[in-house]
Amino acid sequence: MNRYCVGLQRAIGDAPVMVDRTCDAPEAHGANRLLLCLAFGIIAAVSGVANAKAQEAEPRSYTNTPVGLNFLISGYVHSEGKIAFDPDSAIADAKFHSDAGVLAYVRSFDVGGQSAKLDVIVPASSFAAQGSLNGQPREREMSGFGDSRFRVSVNLFGAPALSAKDFASYRQDLIVGVSLQVSAPLGQYDDSKLLNLGSNRWSFKPELGISKAWGPWTFEVAPSVTFFGDNTDFFGGNTFSQSPIYAVQGHILYTFQSGIWMALDGIYFAGGRTALNGAKSDNEQANTRAGFTLALPIDRQNSLKLSASTGITTRTGSEFSAVGIGWQYRWGDGY
Protein backbone atom coordinates (compact mmCIF):
# COMPACT_ATOMS: atom_id res chain seq x y z
CA MET A 1 0.00 0.00 0.00
CA ASN A 2 1.27 3.44 -0.91
CA ARG A 3 1.42 6.21 1.59
CA TYR A 4 2.10 9.89 1.15
CA CYS A 5 5.47 11.26 2.19
CA VAL A 6 5.94 14.20 4.51
CA GLY A 7 8.19 16.60 2.57
CA LEU A 8 11.30 17.91 4.27
CA GLN A 9 13.39 20.64 2.66
CA ARG A 10 16.87 19.41 1.84
CA ALA A 11 19.47 21.05 -0.36
CA ILE A 12 20.50 19.44 -3.63
CA GLY A 13 23.64 21.26 -4.55
CA ASP A 14 22.56 24.82 -4.30
CA ALA A 15 18.86 24.09 -4.68
CA PRO A 16 16.71 22.78 -1.80
CA VAL A 17 14.19 20.12 -2.83
CA MET A 18 11.43 18.21 -1.11
CA VAL A 19 12.60 14.76 -0.06
CA ASP A 20 11.91 12.47 2.87
CA ARG A 21 14.46 9.91 4.04
CA THR A 22 11.77 8.01 5.99
CA CYS A 23 9.27 7.49 3.17
CA ASP A 24 8.74 3.78 2.45
CA ALA A 25 6.60 3.86 -0.71
CA PRO A 26 8.31 2.33 -3.77
CA GLU A 27 7.58 5.46 -5.80
CA ALA A 28 9.15 7.60 -3.11
CA HIS A 29 12.26 5.44 -2.95
CA GLY A 30 12.69 5.80 -6.70
CA ALA A 31 12.16 9.56 -6.59
CA ASN A 32 14.50 9.96 -3.64
CA ARG A 33 17.17 7.92 -5.37
CA LEU A 34 16.86 10.11 -8.49
CA LEU A 35 17.17 13.24 -6.38
CA LEU A 36 20.16 11.84 -4.53
CA CYS A 37 21.84 10.86 -7.79
CA LEU A 38 21.38 14.40 -9.05
CA ALA A 39 22.56 15.69 -5.71
CA PHE A 40 25.90 13.92 -5.45
CA GLY A 41 26.76 14.92 -9.01
CA ILE A 42 26.12 18.56 -8.23
CA ILE A 43 27.89 18.36 -4.88
CA ALA A 44 31.03 17.24 -6.67
CA ALA A 45 30.57 20.13 -9.09
CA VAL A 46 30.38 22.81 -6.40
CA SER A 47 32.78 21.33 -3.84
CA GLY A 48 35.48 23.70 -4.99
CA VAL A 49 33.21 26.74 -5.11
CA ALA A 50 32.58 27.09 -1.39
CA ASN A 51 36.32 27.62 -1.21
CA ALA A 52 37.22 28.98 -4.63
CA LYS A 53 40.96 28.62 -4.02
CA ALA A 54 40.59 24.86 -4.24
CA GLN A 55 40.51 25.04 -8.03
CA GLU A 56 42.88 27.97 -8.45
CA ALA A 57 46.42 27.88 -9.84
CA GLU A 58 48.97 29.16 -7.33
CA PRO A 59 52.25 30.59 -8.72
CA ARG A 60 55.61 30.56 -6.91
CA SER A 61 54.75 27.56 -4.73
CA TYR A 62 58.27 26.15 -5.17
CA THR A 63 60.46 29.26 -5.17
CA ASN A 64 63.31 29.40 -2.68
CA THR A 65 62.63 31.12 0.64
CA PRO A 66 65.08 32.00 3.46
CA VAL A 67 64.74 29.50 6.29
CA GLY A 68 63.51 30.54 9.71
CA LEU A 69 60.81 32.87 8.40
CA ASN A 70 57.14 33.02 9.37
CA PHE A 71 54.33 34.25 7.15
CA LEU A 72 50.85 35.32 8.21
CA ILE A 73 48.48 35.52 5.25
CA SER A 74 44.87 36.68 5.02
CA GLY A 75 42.86 36.77 1.84
CA TYR A 76 39.45 37.30 0.31
CA VAL A 77 38.00 35.83 -2.90
CA HIS A 78 34.69 36.68 -4.55
CA SER A 79 33.46 34.20 -7.14
CA GLU A 80 30.30 33.88 -9.16
CA GLY A 81 29.12 31.80 -12.06
CA LYS A 82 27.07 28.73 -12.87
CA ILE A 83 27.13 25.00 -12.31
CA ALA A 84 27.56 22.81 -15.37
CA PHE A 85 26.15 19.26 -15.34
CA ASP A 86 24.21 16.85 -17.54
CA PRO A 87 21.72 18.95 -19.58
CA ASP A 88 19.19 16.07 -19.35
CA SER A 89 18.95 16.40 -15.57
CA ALA A 90 16.01 18.02 -13.79
CA ILE A 91 18.10 20.89 -12.41
CA ALA A 92 18.73 23.91 -14.64
CA ASP A 93 19.92 27.52 -14.56
CA ALA A 94 21.93 27.01 -11.39
CA LYS A 95 23.87 30.18 -10.56
CA PHE A 96 25.80 31.13 -7.47
CA HIS A 97 28.03 33.66 -5.79
CA SER A 98 30.51 33.04 -3.02
CA ASP A 99 32.56 35.22 -0.69
CA ALA A 100 35.46 33.29 0.78
CA GLY A 101 38.08 34.30 3.30
CA VAL A 102 41.23 32.49 4.32
CA LEU A 103 43.74 32.76 7.15
CA ALA A 104 47.05 30.96 6.75
CA TYR A 105 50.33 30.50 8.58
CA VAL A 106 53.52 29.46 6.76
CA ARG A 107 56.89 28.49 8.25
CA SER A 108 60.07 27.95 6.21
CA PHE A 109 62.74 25.50 7.40
CA ASP A 110 65.68 23.32 6.34
CA VAL A 111 65.32 19.72 5.13
CA GLY A 112 68.56 18.05 4.11
CA GLY A 113 70.15 21.33 3.06
CA GLN A 114 67.19 22.39 0.89
CA SER A 115 64.42 24.83 1.75
CA ALA A 116 60.99 23.59 2.80
CA LYS A 117 57.70 25.07 4.03
CA LEU A 118 54.76 24.12 6.21
CA ASP A 119 51.38 25.73 5.42
CA VAL A 120 48.31 25.72 7.69
CA ILE A 121 45.19 27.09 5.97
CA VAL A 122 41.80 27.81 7.56
CA PRO A 123 39.04 28.83 5.09
CA ALA A 124 35.63 30.34 5.73
CA SER A 125 32.96 31.37 3.25
CA SER A 126 29.40 32.37 2.56
CA PHE A 127 27.61 30.78 -0.38
CA ALA A 128 24.31 31.59 -2.09
CA ALA A 129 22.79 30.04 -5.19
CA GLN A 130 19.59 29.96 -7.17
CA GLY A 131 18.29 27.48 -9.72
CA SER A 132 15.26 25.54 -10.83
CA LEU A 133 14.23 21.94 -10.19
CA ASN A 134 11.64 20.60 -12.63
CA GLY A 135 10.84 24.22 -13.49
CA GLN A 136 10.35 25.31 -9.87
CA PRO A 137 12.69 27.99 -8.45
CA ARG A 138 14.92 26.93 -5.56
CA GLU A 139 17.68 28.64 -3.60
CA ARG A 140 20.28 27.80 -0.97
CA GLU A 141 22.40 29.93 1.37
CA MET A 142 25.03 28.93 3.91
CA SER A 143 28.07 30.32 5.69
CA GLY A 144 30.76 29.02 8.02
CA PHE A 145 34.15 27.33 8.08
CA GLY A 146 35.40 24.94 5.43
CA ASP A 147 37.87 22.07 5.86
CA SER A 148 41.32 23.08 7.09
CA ARG A 149 44.30 22.19 4.92
CA PHE A 150 47.88 21.33 5.87
CA ARG A 151 50.68 21.32 3.30
CA VAL A 152 54.36 20.38 3.47
CA SER A 153 56.54 21.27 0.47
CA VAL A 154 60.18 20.30 0.13
CA ASN A 155 62.53 21.49 -2.61
CA LEU A 156 64.73 18.63 -3.81
CA PHE A 157 67.07 20.55 -6.10
CA GLY A 158 68.12 24.13 -6.80
CA ALA A 159 66.79 25.81 -3.64
CA PRO A 160 69.45 25.58 -0.90
CA ALA A 161 68.47 26.38 2.67
CA LEU A 162 69.85 29.89 3.28
CA SER A 163 69.60 32.51 5.97
CA ALA A 164 68.05 35.86 5.09
CA LYS A 165 71.54 37.38 4.92
CA ASP A 166 72.96 34.72 2.58
CA PHE A 167 69.79 34.71 0.49
CA ALA A 168 70.59 38.20 -0.84
CA SER A 169 73.17 36.71 -3.24
CA TYR A 170 71.00 33.75 -4.36
CA ARG A 171 69.88 33.59 -8.00
CA GLN A 172 67.37 30.97 -9.13
CA ASP A 173 68.07 28.59 -12.01
CA LEU A 174 66.16 25.26 -11.95
CA ILE A 175 64.14 24.19 -8.89
CA VAL A 176 62.48 20.80 -8.46
CA GLY A 177 60.26 20.16 -5.46
CA VAL A 178 57.45 18.01 -4.11
CA SER A 179 54.58 18.65 -1.75
CA LEU A 180 51.76 16.88 0.07
CA GLN A 181 48.56 18.67 1.01
CA VAL A 182 46.11 17.08 3.45
CA SER A 183 42.55 18.34 3.87
CA ALA A 184 41.06 17.40 7.24
CA PRO A 185 37.28 17.04 7.88
CA LEU A 186 37.10 19.97 10.30
CA GLY A 187 34.65 22.20 8.44
CA GLN A 188 30.95 22.82 9.03
CA TYR A 189 28.98 19.66 8.30
CA ASP A 190 25.40 18.53 8.88
CA ASP A 191 24.40 15.05 7.64
CA SER A 192 20.80 16.23 7.16
CA LYS A 193 21.99 18.61 4.42
CA LEU A 194 23.08 17.53 0.95
CA LEU A 195 25.44 20.48 0.57
CA ASN A 196 27.89 21.57 3.24
CA LEU A 197 30.97 23.75 3.51
CA GLY A 198 32.82 20.82 5.09
CA SER A 199 33.17 17.53 3.22
CA ASN A 200 33.31 15.09 6.20
CA ARG A 201 36.19 13.21 4.56
CA TRP A 202 39.94 13.34 4.22
CA SER A 203 41.76 14.16 1.00
CA PHE A 204 45.43 13.90 0.03
CA LYS A 205 47.13 15.83 -2.78
CA PRO A 206 50.73 14.94 -3.73
CA GLU A 207 52.30 17.31 -6.26
CA LEU A 208 55.53 17.72 -8.24
CA GLY A 209 56.77 21.24 -8.92
CA ILE A 210 59.30 22.43 -11.49
CA SER A 211 60.41 26.06 -11.74
CA LYS A 212 62.95 27.40 -14.26
CA ALA A 213 64.22 31.00 -14.37
CA TRP A 214 65.66 32.87 -17.34
CA GLY A 215 66.61 36.35 -16.20
CA PRO A 216 63.43 38.12 -15.02
CA TRP A 217 61.24 35.38 -16.53
CA THR A 218 60.22 32.23 -14.68
CA PHE A 219 58.31 29.24 -16.07
CA GLU A 220 56.56 26.81 -13.73
CA VAL A 221 54.65 23.56 -14.11
CA ALA A 222 53.12 21.42 -11.36
CA PRO A 223 51.24 18.14 -12.00
CA SER A 224 49.22 16.70 -9.09
CA VAL A 225 46.60 14.15 -8.12
CA THR A 226 44.03 14.44 -5.33
CA PHE A 227 42.78 11.29 -3.57
CA PHE A 228 39.54 11.38 -1.57
CA GLY A 229 38.41 9.34 1.38
CA ASP A 230 34.77 8.27 1.61
CA ASN A 231 32.09 10.23 3.41
CA THR A 232 30.25 7.41 5.19
CA ASP A 233 27.68 9.71 6.81
CA PHE A 234 26.34 11.40 3.70
CA PHE A 235 22.71 12.53 4.08
CA GLY A 236 21.96 10.20 6.96
CA GLY A 237 24.24 7.22 6.57
CA ASN A 238 24.84 6.92 2.81
CA THR A 239 28.38 6.52 1.46
CA PHE A 240 29.62 9.21 -0.90
CA SER A 241 32.85 8.46 -2.77
CA GLN A 242 34.87 10.22 -5.45
CA SER A 243 37.55 9.14 -7.91
CA PRO A 244 40.89 11.01 -7.94
CA ILE A 245 41.20 14.38 -9.67
CA TYR A 246 44.27 14.76 -11.89
CA ALA A 247 45.54 18.29 -12.50
CA VAL A 248 48.40 20.21 -14.03
CA GLN A 249 48.98 23.92 -13.54
CA GLY A 250 51.41 26.22 -15.32
CA HIS A 251 52.65 29.79 -14.88
CA ILE A 252 54.65 32.37 -16.79
CA LEU A 253 56.06 35.01 -14.43
CA TYR A 254 57.93 38.26 -14.89
CA THR A 255 59.71 39.93 -11.96
CA PHE A 256 60.59 43.62 -12.04
CA GLN A 257 63.67 45.07 -10.36
CA SER A 258 61.41 46.73 -7.80
CA GLY A 259 60.29 43.30 -6.60
CA ILE A 260 56.85 43.52 -8.21
CA TRP A 261 55.97 40.37 -10.10
CA MET A 262 53.10 39.27 -12.29
CA ALA A 263 52.02 35.89 -13.63
CA LEU A 264 49.77 34.35 -16.23
CA ASP A 265 48.23 31.23 -14.71
CA GLY A 266 46.49 28.19 -16.11
CA ILE A 267 45.18 24.90 -14.75
CA TYR A 268 43.58 21.80 -16.25
CA PHE A 269 41.92 19.16 -14.08
CA ALA A 270 40.08 15.97 -14.94
CA GLY A 271 38.46 13.05 -13.16
CA GLY A 272 36.52 13.30 -9.92
CA ARG A 273 33.67 10.98 -10.87
CA THR A 274 31.40 10.44 -7.88
CA ALA A 275 29.44 7.47 -6.56
CA LEU A 276 26.65 6.99 -4.03
CA ASN A 277 26.67 3.63 -2.23
CA GLY A 278 28.78 2.29 -5.09
CA ALA A 279 26.49 3.52 -7.91
CA LYS A 280 28.59 5.75 -10.16
CA SER A 281 27.40 9.00 -11.71
CA ASP A 282 28.24 10.32 -15.18
CA ASN A 283 29.87 13.51 -13.93
CA GLU A 284 33.58 13.14 -14.67
CA GLN A 285 35.23 16.54 -14.94
CA ALA A 286 37.50 17.88 -17.68
CA ASN A 287 37.88 21.60 -17.00
CA THR A 288 40.32 24.39 -17.83
CA ARG A 289 40.86 27.71 -16.04
CA ALA A 290 43.10 30.71 -16.72
CA GLY A 291 44.06 33.64 -14.53
CA PHE A 292 46.36 36.53 -13.70
CA THR A 293 48.29 37.33 -10.51
CA LEU A 294 50.01 40.58 -9.49
CA ALA A 295 52.18 40.86 -6.35
CA LEU A 296 53.02 44.27 -4.89
CA PRO A 297 55.65 44.53 -2.12
CA ILE A 298 54.87 47.33 0.33
CA ASP A 299 57.96 47.11 2.50
CA ARG A 300 60.35 44.42 3.72
CA GLN A 301 57.66 42.73 5.80
CA ASN A 302 54.37 43.43 4.02
CA SER A 303 53.03 42.72 0.54
CA LEU A 304 49.73 42.56 -1.34
CA LYS A 305 48.65 40.11 -4.00
CA LEU A 306 45.79 40.60 -6.48
CA SER A 307 44.35 37.78 -8.58
CA ALA A 308 41.64 37.10 -11.13
CA SER A 309 40.62 33.93 -12.95
CA THR A 310 37.88 32.50 -15.11
CA GLY A 311 36.77 29.20 -16.59
CA ILE A 312 37.78 28.46 -20.18
CA THR A 313 36.23 25.04 -20.76
CA THR A 314 33.92 23.06 -18.46
CA ARG A 315 32.54 19.55 -18.98
CA THR A 316 30.89 19.27 -15.58
CA GLY A 317 31.53 21.14 -12.38
CA SER A 318 31.62 24.79 -11.41
CA GLU A 319 32.12 27.33 -14.18
CA PHE A 320 32.95 30.59 -12.46
CA SER A 321 35.01 33.76 -12.44
CA ALA A 322 36.84 34.91 -9.33
CA VAL A 323 38.73 37.95 -8.08
CA GLY A 324 40.80 38.03 -4.93
CA ILE A 325 43.12 40.06 -2.76
CA GLY A 326 45.63 38.83 -0.19
CA TRP A 327 47.88 40.44 2.41
CA GLN A 328 51.10 38.86 3.66
CA TYR A 329 53.19 39.75 6.71
CA ARG A 330 56.52 38.05 7.34
CA TRP A 331 58.87 37.97 10.28
CA GLY A 332 61.72 35.86 11.66
CA ASP A 333 65.49 35.55 11.47
CA GLY A 334 66.92 38.54 9.59
CA TYR A 335 63.63 40.40 9.54
Side-chain angles (χ1 to χ4, degrees), residues 37 40-42 44-45 55 84-86 241-246 268-275 280-288 313-318:
C37 288
F40 70 74
I42 297 169
Q55 292 180 353
F85 48 90
D86 186 348
S241 59
Q242 187 170 13
S243 299
I245 291 179
Y246 302 90
Y268 171 79
F269 51 95
R273 187 179 183 184
T274 63
K280 294 183 178 180
S281 176
D282 183 20
N283 62 347
E284 185 171 355
Q285 302 180 50
N287 304 341
T288 307
T313 61
T314 304
R315 180 184 182 273
T316 62
S318 50

Side-chain angles (χ1 to χ4, degrees), residues 58-63 104-109 116-121 148-155 177-184 203 205-210 222-224 249 251:
E58 184 67 29
R60 292 175 60 92
S61 293
Y62 295 92
T63 56
Y105 169 76
V106 181
R107 170 74 178 181
S108 62
F109 54 97
K117 291 184 296 183
L118 169 66
D119 303 8
V120 179
I121 304 166
S148 298
R149 303 192 300 273
F150 306 87
R151 182 173 183 263
V152 175
S153 57
V154 179
N155 289 318
V178 293
S179 69
L180 176 64
Q181 179 175 278
V182 178
S183 177
S203 71
K205 179 185 175 183
E207 183 177 75
L208 171 68
I210 301 172
S224 65
Q249 59 176 289
H251 311 276

Side-chain angles (χ1 to χ4, degrees), residues 74 261 293-298 302-306 325-328:
S74 63
W261 60 266
T293 305
L294 176 65
L296 303 169
I298 298 174
N302 295 274
S303 64
L304 287 176
K305 186 164 66 174
L306 309 175
I325 183 171
W327 165 77
Q328 175 182 279

Side-chain angles (χ1 to χ4, degrees), residues 45-204:
V46 303
S47 60
V49 175
N51 178 12
K53 296 295 289 182
Q55 292 180 353
E56 292 301 288
E58 184 67 29
R60 292 175 60 92
S61 293
Y62 295 92
T63 56
N64 199 4
T65 303
V67 299
L69 293 188
N70 306 277
F71 300 84
L72 182 63
I73 301 168
S74 63
Y76 163 79
V77 177
H78 173 79
S79 58
E80 58 183 58
K82 62 182 181 179
I83 301 166
F85 48 90
D86 186 348
D88 294 330
S89 71
I91 299 178
D93 300 323
K95 299 180 181 180
F96 71 89
H97 67 268
S98 172
D99 294 289
V102 63
L103 184 65
Y105 169 76
V106 181
R107 170 74 178 181
S108 62
F109 54 97
D110 180 344
V111 173
Q114 297 288 315
S115 63
K117 291 184 296 183
L118 169 66
D119 303 8
V120 179
I121 304 166
V122 180
S125 64
S126 63
F127 181 93
Q130 304 82 36
S132 63
L133 175 68
N134 291 322
Q136 299 298 314
R138 297 289 187 268
E139 62 182 20
R140 171 79 162 111
E141 294 184 2
M142 59 182 177
S143 61
F145 287 97
D147 291 335
S148 298
R149 303 192 300 273
F150 306 87
R151 182 173 183 263
V152 175
S153 57
V154 179
N155 289 318
L156 305 177
F157 175 82
L162 301 170
S163 66
K165 179 180 179 181
D166 295 334
F167 191 81
S169 60
Y170 170 78
R171 296 295 180 269
Q172 179 183 331
D173 184 14
L174 174 66
I175 294 176
V176 178
V178 293
S179 69
L180 176 64
Q181 179 175 278
V182 178
S183 177
L186 301 176
Q188 177 179 304
Y189 186 80
D190 182 347
D191 70 348
S192 69
K193 298 283 194 301
L194 284 169
L195 179 63
N196 289 276
L197 293 174
S199 60
N200 195 41
R201 62 179 180 178
W202 292 84
S203 71
F204 304 87

